[in-house]
Amino acid sequence: INSSGTDFDYKDTCKWAKEFPMCGEKFQSPINIKIPNLESLGELPPLKWNGYENAPTTMTLVNSGHSITLTGQWDDNNIPYITDGPLTDAYIFEQLHFHWGPNDSVGSEHKMNGNSFPLEMHMVHFKKEYETFSNAVKYSDGLTVVGLFFDISPMGSEALTAILGGVSAVSSSKDPFELDPFELSSFNVAIAAVQFATYAGSLTTPPCSQSVIWILPINTLNVSSKQMKKFRNIELNHGDTHNYRPTQPLNGRSIHIFTQ
Ligand code: SG5
Ligand code: ZN
């Protein structure tokens, strides 16, 4: 619910721009990433994950009505942040959440060579110099979101198990659920030594602020069918059965590639 008392749904995402004008701007997300067309950023330093091995003191899962969102509280100096790669400063971890759909052929927001994945996870970070997430959203380099793609595999993913352990408590409830704290490093370990695509875009939900440096590893992690079933059981606002926005026009932006 925004300040004018309205909310958005996924039934007609083209209507978002009527109430949220930035959703109609030119450099929106998600996009389709065509791998053969990428330009190389050359010799970038590897992306660096700092403090991801630190477990938080508390960890909370909440159903926002648009996704499930995981947040944590870390002691001073223990808070996870990323640096280097295409980034010019430290970006502090804010939250992670997921996008999915009613069946395995859809769900991810970004596409790779026109292909969708059943699940996409977003690790949202804000630029340290802007101090807070809500302030950082006002700047074109305010946020960086690392998006991870998941594909179906019988084994699923251990890291998802820890999150999904709390999902039944929030599937039909807006009450926050306290998880047993765990470190987030399993996700970045899983994408060690892979290539990344990066481009400038927006939040994929209203208000669609064009404040995001997107970082997308070009590989997939595993999710089992049983794990996907748990995502699809989460009750979203307005009876939505998916929470992905369709891909948006590139409008001349370049997508760069780099390796860790
Ligand atoms: C917004 O952007 C919201 C997120 C929302 C993303 O700015 O942030 C806030 O409102 C600050 C609290 O919503 C929440 O965090 C709800 C608790 O994403 C989601 O988590 C729901 C999909 C959109 O982010 S994205 O561009 O990475 N998809
Ligand atoms: Zn997202």
Side-chain angles (χ1 to χ4, degrees):
I1 311 286
N2 72 2
S3 52
S4 57
T6 57
D7 194 15
F8 62 91
D9 66 49
Y10 283 91
K11 286 169 193 74
D12 192 354
T13 55
C14 296
K15 288 189 178 142
W16 287 357
K18 275 199 272 176
E19 273 179 89
F20 308 96
M22 287 188 289
C23 298
E25 290 180 350
K26 279 188 78 175
F27 302 134
Q28 290 288 293
S29 295
I31 58 166
N32 176 33
I33 295 176
K34 291 182 197 149
I35 305 294
N37 299 355
L38 302 185
E39 301 162 42
S40 177
L41 269 182
E43 293 292 297
L44 276 177
L47 187 70
K48 209 173 148 201
W49 302 77
N50 312 275
Y52 278 78
E53 68 284 3
N54 302 328
T57 50
T58 61
M59 212 168 204
T60 308
L61 193 64
V62 67
N63 179 353
S64 69
H66 300 299
S67 186
I68 51 164
T69 307
L70 182 78
T71 53
Q73 289 73 42
W74 282 265
D75 293 332
D76 290 350
N77 306 319
N78 272 354
I79 186 148
Y81 64 95
I82 50 177
T83 51
D84 298 292
L87 307 172
T88 58
D89 190 13
Y91 283 75
I92 297 174
F93 177 78
E94 170 76 12
Q95 53 112 322
L96 67 80
H97 64 266
F98 299 87
H99 299 266
W100 64 87
N103 60 68
D104 292 347
S105 62
V106 291
S108 67
E109 298 213 288
H110 290 88
K111 293 184 180 186
M112 286 282 179
N113 296 328
N115 294 313
S116 289
F117 301 92
L119 184 69
E120 183 172 333
M121 186 179 94
H122 288 159
M123 302 177 85
V124 183
H125 303 73
F126 66 92
K127 195 175 184 177
K128 190 180 181 188
E129 114 177 52
Y130 299 142
E131 292 180 351
T132 63
F133 173 82
S134 49
N135 182 48
V137 170
K138 301 171 195 160
Y139 301 89
S140 63
D141 63 347
L143 306 178
T144 187
V145 182
V146 181
L148 303 185
F149 301 111
F150 290 81
D151 226 336
I152 302 291
S153 162
M155 290 302 286
S157 142
E158 198 71 52
L160 288 179
T161 306
I163 297 174
L164 290 174
V167 81
S168 62
V170 301
S171 290
S172 310
S173 166
K174 297 287 172 71
D175 294 338
F177 181 79
E178 301 298 315
L179 287 175
D180 290 333
F182 63 92
E183 67 285 351
L184 299 176
S185 53
S186 49
F187 292 110
N188 66 61
V189 167
I191 54 168
V194 303
Q195 285 193 309
F196 294 82
T198 184
Y199 77 98
S202 73
L203 297 175
T204 63
T205 65
C208 307
S209 321
Q210 293 183 164
S211 58
V212 182
I213 299 166
W214 281 95
I215 295 180
L216 303 160
I218 304 174
N219 80 324
T220 59
L221 283 68
N222 295 333
V223 61
S224 68
S225 295
K226 204 175 159 191
Q227 290 178 324
M228 279 313 306
K229 207 169 166 187
K230 292 187 177 185
F231 282 103
R232 292 176 187 137
N233 270 332
I234 297 165
E235 288 178 19
L236 300 173
N237 286 357
H238 313 287
D240 281 336
T241 58
H242 75 271
N243 60 359
Y244 62 89
R245 185 190 197 189
T247 54
Q248 304 294 306
L250 197 55
N251 288 331
R253 281 174 286 181
S254 47
I255 306 167
H256 290 103
I257 197 160
F258 68 100
T259 39
Q260 298 212 63

